[in-house]
């Protein structure tokens, strides 16, 4: 989760764990509308355009809190702000110390609930199955669901749609409840997630439970305007992936190159990418646990990223091998990949919106 702010307001955000994106006051809204991720929030100056900006931001699926600061004016009415998870403070009306404490508290709370970084686990995996030891005990599954209901914890859901003949993953959050013993998903965020759900569709759900995440498949039974009835998973796997992976747009691909000493540079086919790893296909037989030098060219980026990567996963396929590599990457280069992933997730949501 990033907090978008300006040079004048950044000092209000005192928590060391906050990740800030600092822009000029005149540009922060425009850049945020273009690049913000699903969980990102904002601490920005209030201006006359705040309603249009907030409406556009929510329509793009950005869910984090937005706090406006009025400099030489009073607070604006809350009736428009509250439904859109926004607040306004005034330097004329509010005690600046108390205001700062409340703002930091709001963002701390949002950070705990943010996606995609819920319950980060200690390792990266690239396999098709997440654990070799699934949890199949019905009592344990009910215990996990009871924990989520009692703590009112949102769950992460994802499902596949076709984009130009290639499956891509749509991702968001929702809540779960029971009505006459039937599991119901509701409060989808972003709301347009429900547009991609049809009877019989498989939905992958990540269920937080104490210090672990469990992942399982729910099948859609029926869909109404704001709710979806599902069948609960029959088995759960421990979710071990640390970072979100996205499938690149086939029309605007991520370019990946492998540099081998004494050989011509290899052009690899990218399957998916995360902020510290990449899945790719090549006929070339590479050694697992070997370190290689990769070059990455992101769409719409002029910078060519060079990094070392270790092959963590290898699987033979019909005409070659499917690989997963973990990067040892510079933080500035990693941030470029993170920005790409955020933009790509929003792009997929926009594709879903136009498709259905």
């Amino acid at each position: 989760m990033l907090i978008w702010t300006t040079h004048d307001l950044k000092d209000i955000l005192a928590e060391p764990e906050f990740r800030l994106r600092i822009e000029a006051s005149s540009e922060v809204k425009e850049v945020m509308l273009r690049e913000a991720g699903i969980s990102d929030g904002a601490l920005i100056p209030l201006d006359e355009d705040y309603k249009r900006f907030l409406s556009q931001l929510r329509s793009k699926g950005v869910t984090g809190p937005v706090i406006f600061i009025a400099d030489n004016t009073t607070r604006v009415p809350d009736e428009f702000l509250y439904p859109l998870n926004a607040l306004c403070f005034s330097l004329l009306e509010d005690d600046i110390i108390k205001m700062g404490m409340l703002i930091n508290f709001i963002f701390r709370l949002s950070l705990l609930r943010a996606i995609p970084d819920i319950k980060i686990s200690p390792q990266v995996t690239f396999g098709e199955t997440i654990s070799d030891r699934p949890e199949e005990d019905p009592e344990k599954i009910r215990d996990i669901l009871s924990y989520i209901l009692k703590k009112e914890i949102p769950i992460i859901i994802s499902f596949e749609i076709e984009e130009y003949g290639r499956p891509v993953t749509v991702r968001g959050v929702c809540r779960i409840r029971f009505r006459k013993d039937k599991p119901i998903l509701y409060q989808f965020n972003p709301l347009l997630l429900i547009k991609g759900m049809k009877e019989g569709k498989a939905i992958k759900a990540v269920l937080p439970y104490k210090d672990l995440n469990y992942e399982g498949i729910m099948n859609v039974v029926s869909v109404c305007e704001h709710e979806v009835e599902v069948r609960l998973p029959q088995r759960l796997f421990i979710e071990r992936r640390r970072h979100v992976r996205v499938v690149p747009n086939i029309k605007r691909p991520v370019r990946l190159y492998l540099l081998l000493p004494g050989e011509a540079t290899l052009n690899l086919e990218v399957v998916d990418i995360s902020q510290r790893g990449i899945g790719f296909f090549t006929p070339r037989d590479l050694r697992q646990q070997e370190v290689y030098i990769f070059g990455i060219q992101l769409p719409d980026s002029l910078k060519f990223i060079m990094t070392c990567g270790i092959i963590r996963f290898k699987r033979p396929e019909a005409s070659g091998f499917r690989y997963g590599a973990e990067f040892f990457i510079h933080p500035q280069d990693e941030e470029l990949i993170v920005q790409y992933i955020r933009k790509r997730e929003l792009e997929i949501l926009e594709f879903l919106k136009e498709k259905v």
Side-chain angles (χ1 to χ4, degrees):
M1 171 187 173
L2 283 179
I3 302 174
W4 294 69
T5 189
T6 65
H7 296 280
D8 294 332
L9 297 177
K10 63 181 175 60
D11 292 336
I12 295 176
L13 299 164
E15 299 294 332
E17 66 266 33
F18 290 161
R19 297 174 60 232
L20 306 184
R21 174 70 180 268
I22 302 170
E23 299 285 343
S25 298
S26 59
E27 299 176 355
V28 62
K29 293 192 300 180
E30 179 183 349
V31 180
M32 188 177 182
L33 285 172
R34 190 170 63 245
E35 299 182 8
I38 288 176
S39 298
D40 288 2
L43 176 66
I44 56 178
L46 179 73
D47 61 17
E48 296 179 354
D49 204 29
Y50 75 94
K51 287 187 178 181
R52 183 197 64 82
F53 164 74
L54 195 54
S55 298
Q56 288 184 341
L57 190 70
R58 296 316 185 207
S59 70
K60 289 180 174 291
V62 181
T63 63
V66 174
I67 299 177
F68 295 101
I69 302 296
D71 189 4
N72 297 313
T73 62
T74 58
R75 290 188 296 269
V76 297
D78 295 324
E79 289 79 6
F80 178 83
L81 298 178
Y82 283 167
L84 294 177
N85 193 24
L87 287 172
C88 180
F89 293 97
S90 170
L91 298 180
L92 286 178
E93 297 178 303
D94 297 303
D95 181 282
I96 191 167
I97 296 178
K98 292 182 179 179
M99 180 184 74
M101 293 174 63
L102 183 56
I103 289 171
N104 281 272
F105 172 79
I106 290 169
F107 283 119
R108 276 203 311 274
L109 186 62
S110 298
L111 188 62
L112 294 174
R113 294 172 176 264
I115 59 172
D117 297 323
I118 295 179
K119 301 283 187 179
I120 292 176
S121 299
Q123 66 183 81
V124 179
T125 62
F126 290 92
E128 291 299 311
T129 58
I130 299 169
S131 169
D132 294 330
R133 300 180 61 187
E135 178 59 68
E136 297 177 317
D137 181 2
E139 288 294 330
K140 181 59 177 293
I141 294 175
R142 281 194 290 269
D143 185 37
I144 293 170
L145 289 168
S146 296
Y147 177 84
I148 290 171
L149 292 170
K150 181 179 179 181
K151 300 288 187 179
E152 298 183 344
I153 301 172
I155 65 174
I156 304 173
I157 60 170
S158 60
F159 55 87
E160 289 188 343
I161 61 171
E162 285 228 342
E163 181 192 55
Y164 311 124
R166 184 179 186 180
V168 295
T169 299
V170 179
R171 190 169 179 275
V173 297
C174 68
R175 294 185 181 274
I176 186 170
R177 64 187 174 198
F178 286 82
R179 181 185 298 132
K180 297 181 179 179
D181 295 327
K182 295 180 179 179
I184 305 294
L185 304 183
Y186 70 107
Q187 283 190 4
F188 293 93
N189 200 341
L191 182 59
L192 63 84
L193 284 174
I194 203 169
K195 294 181 178 293
M197 297 189 187
K198 309 295 180 185
E199 183 178 342
K201 192 174 187 69
I203 300 172
K204 186 179 291 185
V206 177
L207 310 175
Y209 179 71
K210 299 181 180 178
D211 293 329
L212 292 174
N213 282 340
Y214 286 89
E215 182 177 278
I217 301 298
M218 298 180 175
N219 290 291
V220 174
V221 176
S222 62
V223 182
C224 65
E225 187 176 359
H226 299 298
E227 297 180 341
V228 175
E229 181 186 340
V230 295
R231 292 190 182 91
L232 293 177
Q234 299 299 307
R235 54 168 54 185
L236 296 174
F237 296 87
I238 294 176
E239 210 281 336
R240 298 187 185 277
R241 292 193 182 101
R242 184 168 57 183
H243 299 121
V244 173
R245 299 185 297 174
V246 297
V247 176
N249 188 323
I250 196 169
K251 294 186 175 182
R252 297 169 57 247
V254 173
R255 306 290 184 184
L256 181 67
Y257 305 94
L258 178 62
L259 282 67
L260 295 171
E263 298 188 30
T265 301
L266 292 181
N267 189 356
L268 310 175
E269 178 187 346
V270 175
V271 178
D272 51 46
I273 185 170
S274 72
Q275 69 186 74
R276 290 190 183 176
I278 200 161
F280 63 92
F281 174 85
T282 179
R284 183 66 179 260
D285 189 357
L286 305 175
R287 286 182 292 183
Q288 199 163 349
Q289 303 305 320
E290 185 78 11
V291 175
Y292 294 91
I293 299 175
F294 294 93
I296 307 164
Q297 181 70 61
L298 300 172
D300 303 327
S301 175
L302 298 177
K303 185 174 182 180
F304 190 81
I305 298 172
M306 298 293 296
T307 181
C308 293
I310 184 170
I311 304 296
R312 296 293 195 189
F313 168 77
K314 178 179 180 180
R315 185 183 67 199
E317 293 193 354
S319 55
F321 299 88
R322 166 81 178 268
Y323 295 96
E326 180 184 358
F327 293 146
F328 303 98
I329 193 167
H330 190 279
Q332 291 182 3
D333 292 331
E334 182 180 347
E335 183 61 28
L336 290 176
I337 297 176
V338 170
Q339 291 175 20
Y340 166 74
I341 291 170
R342 291 195 187 102
K343 290 172 65 176
R344 178 62 179 143
E345 287 205 299
L346 292 175
E347 182 182 64
I348 293 172
L349 285 170
E350 189 65 27
F351 184 82
L352 172 64
K353 181 179 178 181
E354 295 173 357
K355 181 179 179 182
V356 295

